[in-house]
Amino acid sequence: MYGVVEGTGFEVFDPAFEACLIGHARVERLWTGARWSEGPAWFPAGRYLVWSDIPNNRMLRWDETDGSVSVFRQPSNNSNGHTVDAQGRLVSCEHLTRRVTRTEHDGSITVIADRFEGKRLNSPNDVVVKSDGSIWFTDPSYGILIDYEGERAESEIGACHVYRVCPSGDIAIVADDYLKPNGLAFSPDESLLYIADTGATHAPEGPRHIRRHTVGSDGTLGGGEVFAECTNGLFDGFRLDRDGRIWTSAADGVHCIDPTGKLIGKILIPEIVANVCFGGPKRNRLFICGTTSLYSVFLSVNGAR
Ligand code: MG
């Protein structure tokens, strides 16, 4: 389990990436046994990580105190991406039920969004919460295209958008020019929103990049230029550190991209990576969902809140 895991390592393209690493820290494989790991979310109060095993219709929990892994929720409605809001509550994307939910402190489930203008969402994929309490999520069609990670169905909306739900419950489209919007995350000061487009999964020349938007005070997005192209596979989920670097999933591991869009280094993982999150009491441990396994590595940098 611990020690040097075959196929892991680091590729340094810029000294700035070496400065993010701890000389002797190695990638650890914490657990294996999933079909498609996604959506890691760290719970500081409980010192555990929750993530999705989408095809197995379950959510798993890795406990920092003893390294054990147990089932957090099953069935999970083929949950995908998760995040933890400022109150410490789990916010989840569910493919099967085509909705975004929040798990309250008492364990009850609140539906955040399941429709737009009366039409069912496709299959919410990834979610972040802004400091003002608004919930932002992407809605590609991966959960309704086939039965493997959800249930095959026609798209009622007929397109794949990015949405914002205000604390009042009002839902709005914030981006409507994506083919398959996927991972998303704010810059540390929330002035920028990065969104991945994985359209290349179903269009030969489709997008495989992250775009960068400015965030207006009224919650509308500006900009939207391509920020970084994926050089190996696709960018799926990603998170930022406090200094604004992006740590993003790719086919060969985790790519680290600086705020100018330059790929400065990679954490090599021997399985396709779908998503990452920072965790641990100091948020200096990167948790990596790589297909069948959960990996982690300690870094010299800290995740953005
Ligand atoms: Mg995703």
Side-chain angles (χ1 to χ4, degrees):
M1 179 185 269
Y2 295 100
V4 176
V5 180
E6 194 177 342
T8 64
F10 306 95
E11 278 187 17
V12 177
F13 306 131
D14 188 301
F17 183 65
E18 197 142 31
C20 298
L21 305 176
I22 297 167
H24 61 272
R26 294 290 174 262
V27 175
E28 304 166 17
R29 182 184 287 124
L30 301 176
W31 185 83
T32 192
R35 284 206 164 90
W36 184 248
S37 296
E38 247 284 11
W42 175 255
F43 287 82
R47 294 179 59 191
Y48 59 84
L49 181 102
V50 166
W51 82 100
S52 295
D53 178 4
I54 307 177
N56 283 323
N57 198 17
R58 62 181 177 172
M59 292 162 63
L60 298 165
R61 171 180 43 209
W62 174 82
D63 190 324
E64 186 193 39
T65 66
D66 62 2
S68 64
V69 169
S70 54
V71 173
F72 178 82
R73 180 181 297 167
Q74 190 173 33
S76 62
N77 297 325
N78 301 107
S79 70
N80 189 336
H82 305 280
T83 195
V84 179
D85 72 9
Q87 288 74 39
R89 299 170 296 190
L90 174 69
V91 179
S92 302
C93 295
E94 301 177 2
H95 279 182
L96 185 67
T97 33
R98 300 167 67 172
R99 64 185 190 176
V100 178
T101 62
R102 181 173 60 228
T103 303
E104 307 295 344
H105 290 130
D106 66 3
S108 62
I109 304 285
T110 300
V111 177
I112 303 294
D114 61 356
R115 286 170 191 272
F116 180 74
E117 293 181 342
K119 295 174 180 169
R120 294 187 75 188
L121 299 171
N122 298 320
S123 50
N125 188 290
D126 215 340
V127 60
V128 288
V129 179
K130 199 162 173 277
S131 59
D132 64 3
S134 57
I135 295 169
W136 302 57
F137 67 94
T138 58
D139 186 41
S141 50
Y142 294 115
I144 57 173
L145 290 174
I146 57 173
D147 288 326
Y148 186 59
E149 296 193 346
E151 195 164 70
R152 190 191 309 262
E154 287 296 315
S155 172
E156 295 187 13
I157 293 169
C160 302
H161 300 317
V162 184
Y163 297 88
R164 180 193 70 235
V165 183
C166 291
S168 66
D170 288 346
I171 179 169
I173 294 172
V174 291
D176 63 1
D177 59 347
Y178 281 73
L179 206 53
K180 294 274 190 287
N182 205 315
L184 76 173
F186 288 101
S187 60
D189 66 1
E190 299 183 337
S191 66
L192 301 169
L193 178 67
Y194 297 88
I195 307 173
D197 196 333
T198 50
T201 53
H202 291 79
E205 300 301 317
R208 50 178 77 242
H209 54 223
I210 291 172
R211 290 167 56 190
R212 180 172 61 183
H213 299 266
T214 54
V215 183
S217 55
D218 59 353
T220 58
L221 297 181
E225 71 281 6
V226 173
F227 170 74
E229 292 281 354
C230 191
T231 53
N232 196 324
L234 299 162
F235 296 137
D236 191 336
F238 56 90
R239 287 291 181 261
L240 275 73
D241 66 32
R242 277 185 200 162
D243 305 314
R245 284 174 290 261
I246 292 184
W247 299 77
T248 176
S249 57
D252 56 349
V254 178
H255 293 191
C256 182
I257 300 170
D258 77 8
T260 72
K262 181 185 179 190
L263 175 64
I264 60 171
K266 296 180 180 180
I267 302 169
L268 299 176
I269 300 290
E271 304 183 77
I272 295 171
V273 172
N275 217 330
V276 305
C277 80
F278 285 90
K282 296 175 180 172
R283 302 184 77 83
N284 63 342
R285 189 173 190 177
L286 189 69
F287 291 92
I288 301 165
C289 283
T291 310
T292 66
S293 307
L294 177 69
Y295 300 85
S296 80
V297 61
F298 282 94
L299 298 169
S300 69
V301 298
N302 307 75
R305 170 61 211 130

